Amino acid sequence: MKTLDDVKRAATLADRRSRLMTELAGARVRRLQSPGATGQRVSETEAFGVSLDHDLFGKLRLVVIAELQARLQAVETELRELGVTLPGDPVPGVEPATDEPTHTFVVPQSWDPKAREFTVYVPCRAVKSVRWADDSKGSAGREVDELLNPQGLVFHRTSPAPVVDDTSGSAQLVGKVIGVTRHDRNIAIDVRLLPGPSPMLAAVASGEIEHVGIEYLIDDEEPVEREGERPLVTAHEWRLTKLRIRRADAQAEAA
């Protein structure tokens, strides 16, 4: 940026980019809802004098998402022309990071023995999955690349996901999820262990954890066909249903 006007313009564009990203995240996770226990209904059930059913609402939302994406791209292009480096852009003279974790794990040093709480890191990157569909010959599977949108994780404190000890395969309940933090490419899950003695206490405290995995349900996804590659399916709204932890060995049994 060479002039004061460039600086002012960049600040205006940065603010617009922030608003567009917020609107885009909201458009991706917002769904048409019927009156529930609260008796509330979203305002988008009618537009242009037309009552929107789920199909119409979904198609309209895709149009809105495409327009927001185009506006965001235009803003980011102008910011780059002004010399602004955005998150994810290559920086001259700096090697791109290659050590970003690709697996789910208990965050070291996150264990709080007083509160019996710790944090689990979950990367959100495209991984191979299978979509099943019933046809005349039976169930048919199709391989896809599945991507969880961190901003699409729906969390309700009133119905937290259970945490189970999966070491022996019996899936013993040992805790619950008490909170989540959404980042650009990962999420952090806060866990609280239940009161009372448990082998999981010593295992977490010592870092003797062999495997951590999540189970989830997808409520809203968007498939995109890609030439020469597996389709990319982005989960724009999903719910955590269970967190599984496997201790490294039986040394914690005596805790």
Side-chain angles (χ1 to χ4, degrees):
M1 288 178 280
K2 299 179 180 179
T3 67
L4 180 58
D5 286 341
D6 287 343
V7 174
K8 292 180 178 179
R9 178 60 178 164
T12 299
L13 289 171
D15 181 64
R16 185 181 303 172
R17 177 177 180 270
S18 178
R19 292 200 308 272
L20 284 169
M21 291 179 68
T22 300
E23 291 171 353
L24 186 56
R28 281 172 169 164
V29 303
R30 194 69 177 269
R31 305 175 70 217
L32 185 64
Q33 301 172 354
S34 298
T38 61
Q40 296 178 341
R41 182 186 295 269
V42 295
S43 59
E44 291 86 352
T45 53
E46 184 173 310
F48 317 115
V50 177
S51 180
L52 301 180
D53 57 21
H54 282 269
D55 185 52
L56 279 175
F57 180 83
K59 291 178 179 178
L60 180 60
R61 187 180 65 167
L62 290 178
V63 173
V64 171
I65 288 174
E67 177 60 27
L68 290 173
Q69 287 175 327
R71 293 184 182 187
L72 179 60
Q73 184 177 6
V75 168
E76 291 184 339
T77 296
E78 190 170 350
L79 280 168
R80 292 187 177 100
E81 290 174 350
L82 290 170
V84 176
T85 300
L86 300 174
D89 286 352
V91 179
V94 177
E95 292 294 326
T98 58
D99 58 350
E100 182 173 312
T102 59
H103 66 285
T104 301
F105 62 90
V106 174
V107 177
Q109 309 302 322
S110 67
W111 172 240
D112 181 343
K114 276 192 172 182
R116 302 169 69 97
E117 297 175 1
F118 59 94
T119 301
V120 171
Y121 171 95
V122 181
C124 295
R125 60 189 185 93
V127 295
K128 186 169 71 173
S129 182
V130 177
R131 289 295 185 272
W132 296 94
D134 293 329
D135 57 21
S136 58
K137 299 179 181 180
S139 297
R142 185 190 189 195
E143 289 188 346
V144 301
D145 285 336
E146 182 180 278
L147 176 64
L148 298 177
N149 177 4
Q151 307 305 320
L153 172 58
V154 177
F155 174 73
H156 299 292
R157 294 185 181 276
T158 55
S159 55
V163 178
V164 300
D165 183 345
D166 206 29
T167 306
S168 62
S170 60
Q172 180 181 0
L173 180 67
V174 295
K176 63 180 180 180
V177 174
I178 59 172
V180 298
T181 303
R182 305 164 184 83
H183 301 287
D184 287 341
R185 290 183 291 184
N186 61 75
I187 59 174
I189 300 175
D190 295 322
V191 173
R192 178 181 297 153
L193 296 180
L194 298 177
S198 169
M200 191 61 69
L201 289 168
V204 174
S206 62
E208 297 293 328
I209 300 297
E210 182 178 279
H211 176 76
V212 182
I214 64 171
E215 294 182 11
Y216 54 89
L217 289 175
I218 296 176
D219 294 314
D220 186 28
E221 63 181 31
E222 179 185 4
V224 176
E225 297 293 333
R226 301 184 294 179
E227 187 174 353
E229 298 182 77
R230 290 188 293 265
L232 176 64
V233 178
T234 302
H236 291 308
E237 185 172 334
W238 55 286
R239 291 171 285 139
L240 191 67
T241 58
K242 188 177 292 184
L243 182 68
R244 293 181 175 272
I245 303 177
R246 186 183 307 141
R247 290 174 283 114
D249 52 47
Q251 61 83 27
E253 292 293 347

